[in-house]
Amino acid sequence: MLQGIIRESTSKKDTKKLRRDGYLIANVYGKGLENINAAFKMGDFIKYMKNKEHLIFPVKLGDKELKVVVQEYQKHPVTGELLHVDLLVAQDGVKSYYHVPIKVKGTPIGLKNKGVLIYHRRRIKVKAAPENLPDYFELDVSNLDVGDNILIRDIKMPEGVECYLNPSIPVVGVIKAK
C-alpha cells in the first residue's frame, strides 16, 4: 500500500521544501468529501504506479485508508519531472468519470504490408461506479490491415459503464508507413 503524508501548510515555501526533500505534491478529493492536501515520496509513488495491477489502488494518509485513481498529473515542461498529481477517491456506488487505459493484443496484418500500428487514444474517458470499472480495455488488433481502425463504437462496454465520446472516434489503427 502506498503511504503518504497529509500536508498541514499549502504555502509556496513549504511546497518547495517538500519537493526539495523528494516529495510529490498530491491533491486527494471526491464527491462530498473534503479535499486532502497530501505528499508522497517521489520514488515510492513512481515505483508503485509502474507495478500496480488495478486502475483503483489503496493509499494510506495519516490514519485514513482510501481507494483512489489517478485523475490528472502535471509534469515540468522542460525536465519532464512529475510535479503534481490529482487523486480521485473511488466511492462505492458513486458514478464518476475515469480514464481507462487501452491494451492491445495480437499483431496486425497491416504490419506485413508496410503499415504502422498507432494509438489515437491511450485512454478512454468513461463514467461508471468503481465496482463496474474495468482495469483496462483489451483490443484485438490482429485483423487490422493498412487503413483500418478500431473505433469507440467497436469497444464493448461492460455493464454499468457509459462512454460519452463520439462513437466514430478512432482508438487504434494501422497507417501506411512513409
Side-chain angles (χ1 to χ4, degrees):
M1 178 180 301
L2 189 61
Q3 295 218 316
I5 59 171
I6 296 177
R7 300 188 299 149
E8 285 81 37
S9 172
T10 58
S11 71
K12 202 173 197 177
K13 180 181 168 189
D14 291 335
T15 301
K16 281 185 176 182
K17 184 180 182 321
L18 277 172
R19 284 198 177 118
R20 259 194 319 271
D21 292 343
Y23 280 92
L24 171 66
I25 305 304
N27 189 15
V28 183
Y29 58 91
K31 189 173 184 175
L33 299 176
E34 193 172 318
N35 288 3
I36 301 170
N37 296 308
F40 298 96
K41 276 286 193 190
M42 180 72 81
D44 294 346
F45 187 83
I46 292 172
K47 198 181 300 176
Y48 190 85
M49 287 295 115
K50 286 184 178 177
N51 297 326
K52 72 180 176 86
E53 297 174 11
H54 302 289
L55 193 61
I56 298 173
F57 58 96
V59 295
K60 185 172 175 117
L61 297 169
D63 58 347
K64 291 183 184 173
E65 280 190 26
L66 302 167
K67 292 188 305 182
V68 297
V69 63
V70 174
Q71 195 70 352
E72 197 173 326
Y73 56 88
Q74 293 173 336
K75 287 186 171 183
H76 190 279
V78 177
T79 63
E81 182 184 353
L82 202 54
L83 295 175
H84 176 91
V85 66
D86 283 344
L87 301 174
L88 175 68
V89 177
Q91 303 167 7
D92 289 340
V94 178
K95 284 190 168 190
S96 294
Y97 286 101
Y98 298 98
H99 296 276
V100 180
I102 300 293
K103 286 190 178 179
V104 297
K105 68 174 183 183
T107 305
I109 299 167
L111 294 188
K112 294 177 186 158
N113 301 331
K114 296 188 174 140
V116 178
L117 179 70
I118 60 163
Y119 285 83
H120 297 286
R121 292 187 170 259
R122 294 249 177 223
R123 303 186 305 165
I124 296 177
K125 187 176 181 180
V126 298
K127 186 173 186 177
E131 55 270 14
N132 298 332
L133 191 66
D135 290 324
Y136 56 86
F137 290 115
E138 189 171 65
L139 305 178
D140 184 9
V141 295
S142 51
N143 294 328
L144 295 182
D145 203 350
V146 175
D148 292 344
N149 289 306
I150 294 179
L151 307 176
I152 295 283
R153 68 172 156 248
D154 300 331
I155 300 172
K156 184 174 182 333
M157 294 291 161
E159 181 92 21
V161 177
E162 302 159 1
C163 181
Y164 295 111
L165 294 173
N166 185 336
S168 59
I169 293 176
V171 181
V172 294
V174 177
I175 60 168
K176 190 160 181 68
K178 292 183 180 180

